[in-house]
């Protein structure tokens, strides 16, 4: 097993390059046989020009497939990989069609690109299934032991068990049983999960696993995530790590705001027919207000009025502020549709244009709910170091009912590792989660907020 382990990434890499080569070859065929002969004489290329067009297509396809996660065959679920591949193929082919039109200086027939899209799907999806099949046979789920502290690891184990294809939790052990007994148990398994352990107790185990070459998974503390965003300083022979703890720099904030203005104006123009259609549907259903405004928190705790399409009955909060629940009866039929597709959030484009929000950032919480979270997690206000966002790290990698503590850790990961490229990636990944129903799943019926009962 250990000998095969070193070839795991090589298998994944070979499969990825093979799929990219197939997609590029199919486009090259469409280009040489259909589009290039249709070009007027002054727009036709010599061989190097043709290679440049084909090479550009390969780069575009690689960009979208990598961004959506289509190359992570051994990491994501098979359904996620297939969805990522479909989104990448569609996005790359749309971009390439407009590029072909620009080269030809006129609108070119769209049928060849539709044929290319169909061929890509017919070739790539079977390859994905085949590689996944080989991967799971060569690399079965790792046998794991979960080491926990004061809190039950049941919730984390349930999440890990949702990926039986990749992980196999075989045992649990309390950190308080003593290091000698723990080390003996660790040697019986292929991987270790350190679940919410105090740093003082965690570090000796982590060093032991490192020494023994044991794969180790760690649920990070808030301080761990803050450390990921530190700057390494090498002015002395003693390494230093600098945490500025100031959110984004002035340059990052300026670039982010400029991007928000441009994209929000484009989004308003492009989405205006959809906005009008949804507004008409809500009005015709119960004659109530189209929009729903609510006080939310953004950077530095500032309060603003968020704008959403109304997806619930007009008396939905007669019993006080609460999150949507699973199978919530307050949600209207039209509300079910726009919530499942996240279209109820579209009016927030105007909040972005006004500067109250950004396209990417922590989702804004209601002040009353945020205060409840802070009573349990005082660090929850750390999310307010940047503007609230239409989408965010916690929305892409979490769920609607993600616990506040996990949501905080996801949002802090975004803040501490901010980059313009990360914003672009998260915006593109948002299209993917529209098709993933579990991301819109509400909290349990007994909950009013995302705080779960502790045991």
């Amino acid at each position: 097993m250990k000998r095969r382990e070193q070839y795991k990434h090589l298998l994944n890499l070979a499969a990825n390059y093979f799929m990219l080569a197939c997609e590029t070859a199919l486009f090259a065929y469409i280009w040489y046989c259909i589009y290039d002969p249709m070009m007027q004489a002054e727009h036709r290329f010599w061989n190097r020009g043709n290679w440049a067009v084909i090479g550009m297509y390969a780069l575009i396809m690689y960009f979208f497939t990598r961004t959506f996660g289509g190359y992570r065959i051994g990491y994501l679920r098979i359904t996620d990989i297939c969805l990522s591949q479909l989104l990448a193929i569609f996005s790359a082919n749309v971009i390439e069609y407009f590029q072909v039109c620009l080269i030809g200086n006129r609108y070119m027939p769209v049928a060849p690109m539709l044929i290319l899209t169909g061929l890509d799907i017919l070739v790539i999806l079977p390859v994905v299934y085949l590689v996944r099949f080989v991967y799971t046979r060569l690399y079965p789920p790792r046998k794991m032991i979960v080491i926990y502290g004061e809190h039950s690891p049941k919730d984390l184990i349930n999440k890990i068990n949702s990926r039986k294809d990749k992980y196999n939790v075989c045992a649990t052990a309390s950190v308080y049983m003593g290091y000698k007994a723990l080390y003996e148990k660790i040697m019986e398994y292929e991987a270790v999960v350190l679940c919410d352990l105090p740093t003082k107790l965690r570090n000796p185990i982590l060093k032991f696993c490192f020494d023994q070459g044991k794969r180790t998974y760690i649920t990070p503390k808030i301080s761990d995530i803050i450390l990921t965003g530190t700057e390494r300083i090498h002015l002395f022979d003693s390494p230093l790590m600098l945490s500025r703890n100031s959110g984004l720099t002035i340059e990052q904030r300026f670039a982010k705001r400029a991007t928000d203005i441009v994209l929000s104006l484009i989004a308003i123009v492009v989405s205006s027919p959809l906005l009008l259609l949804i507004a008409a549907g809500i009005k015709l259903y119960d004659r109530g207000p189209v929009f729903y405004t609510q006080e939310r928190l953004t950077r530095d705790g500032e309060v603003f009025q968020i704008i959403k399409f109304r997806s619930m009955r007009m008396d939905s909060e007669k019993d006080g502020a609460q999150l949507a629940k699973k199978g919530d009866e307050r949600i209207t039929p039209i509300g079910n549709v726009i919530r499942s597709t996240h279209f109820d959030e579209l009016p927030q484009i105007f909040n972005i244009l006004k500067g109250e929000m950004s396209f990417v950032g922590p989702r804004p919480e209601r002040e009353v709910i945020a205060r409840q979270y802070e009573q349990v997690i005082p660090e929850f206000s750390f999310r307010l170091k940047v503007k609230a966002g239409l989408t965010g790290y916690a929305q892409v990698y979490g769920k609607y009912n993600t616990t506040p503590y996990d949501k905080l850790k996801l949002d802090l990961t975004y803040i501490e590792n901010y980059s313009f490229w990360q914003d672009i990636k998260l915006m593109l990944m948002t299209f993917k989660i529209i098709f993933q129903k579990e991301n819109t799943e509400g909290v349990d019926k007994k909950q009013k907020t995302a705080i779960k009962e502790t045991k």
Side-chain angles (χ1 to χ4, degrees), residues 143-147 168-173 182 185-186 189 191-194:
K143 295 179 179 179
M144 309 172 73
I145 179 172
V146 175
I147 300 174
N168 179 19
V169 177
C170 300
T172 61
L182 271 178
K185 289 188 71 68
I186 285 172
Y189 300 95
V192 181
V193 181
L194 305 182

Side-chain angles (χ1 to χ4, degrees), residues 27 30-31 34-39 93-94 96-98 100-102 104 106-116:
F27 173 74
I30 295 293
W31 172 257
I34 301 177
Y35 281 127
D36 188 47
M38 295 174 63
M39 298 289 176
N93 288 350
V94 167
E96 189 58 34
Y97 170 71
F98 286 110
V100 169
C101 292
L102 287 173
R106 61 190 174 93
Y107 283 108
M108 305 295 286
V110 72
M113 293 305 294
L114 294 177
I115 293 172
L116 174 62

Side-chain angles (χ1 to χ4, degrees), residues 103-235:
I103 294 171
N105 201 27
R106 61 190 174 93
Y107 283 108
M108 305 295 286
V110 72
M113 293 305 294
L114 294 177
I115 293 172
L116 174 62
T117 301
L119 291 173
D120 283 337
I121 294 171
L122 287 175
V123 171
I124 297 304
L125 293 190
V127 172
V128 168
Y129 275 94
L130 176 61
V131 174
R132 180 71 174 186
F133 176 81
V134 173
Y135 192 96
T136 54
R137 292 302 180 274
L138 289 177
Y139 306 105
R142 288 187 180 86
K143 295 179 179 179
M144 309 172 73
I145 179 172
V146 175
I147 300 174
Y148 62 94
E150 296 178 359
H151 303 290
S152 169
K154 183 178 178 181
D155 191 46
L156 178 63
I157 292 173
N158 288 337
K159 293 177 182 179
I160 295 174
N161 283 339
S162 68
R163 291 297 308 274
K164 292 283 190 180
D165 59 314
K166 191 170 177 64
Y167 306 112
N168 179 19
V169 177
C170 300
T172 61
S174 170
V175 70
Y176 299 108
M177 69 185 297
Y179 289 127
K180 183 178 180 181
L182 271 178
Y183 295 162
E184 290 176 355
K185 289 188 71 68
I186 285 172
M187 295 306 296
E188 299 174 12
Y189 300 95
E190 298 170 303
V192 181
V193 181
L194 305 182
C195 178
D196 201 24
L197 298 180
T199 305
K200 184 178 180 180
L201 299 176
R202 182 188 68 187
N203 286 351
I205 304 172
L206 182 61
K207 292 175 183 177
F208 174 80
C209 292
F210 184 84
D211 180 59
Q212 297 297 319
K214 292 288 183 181
R215 181 169 292 229
T216 309
Y217 299 84
I218 306 161
T219 56
K221 298 294 201 181
I222 298 299
S223 55
D224 296 328
I225 296 173
I226 293 173
L227 286 175
T228 65
T230 57
E231 178 184 345
R232 274 60 172 174
I233 295 178
H234 300 288
L235 297 176

Side-chain angles (χ1 to χ4, degrees), residues 22 49 66 102 144 149 165 173 226 232 262-263 289 297 300 317 333 412 416 418 421 425 427:
C22 289
R66 184 176 178 84
L102 287 173
M144 309 172 73
D165 59 314
I226 293 173
R232 274 60 172 174
V262 172
L263 291 182
L297 298 177
D300 298 329
E317 293 197 337
L412 272 182
E416 293 301 314
Y418 173 80
W421 158 243
K425 181 178 180 180
M427 282 189 275

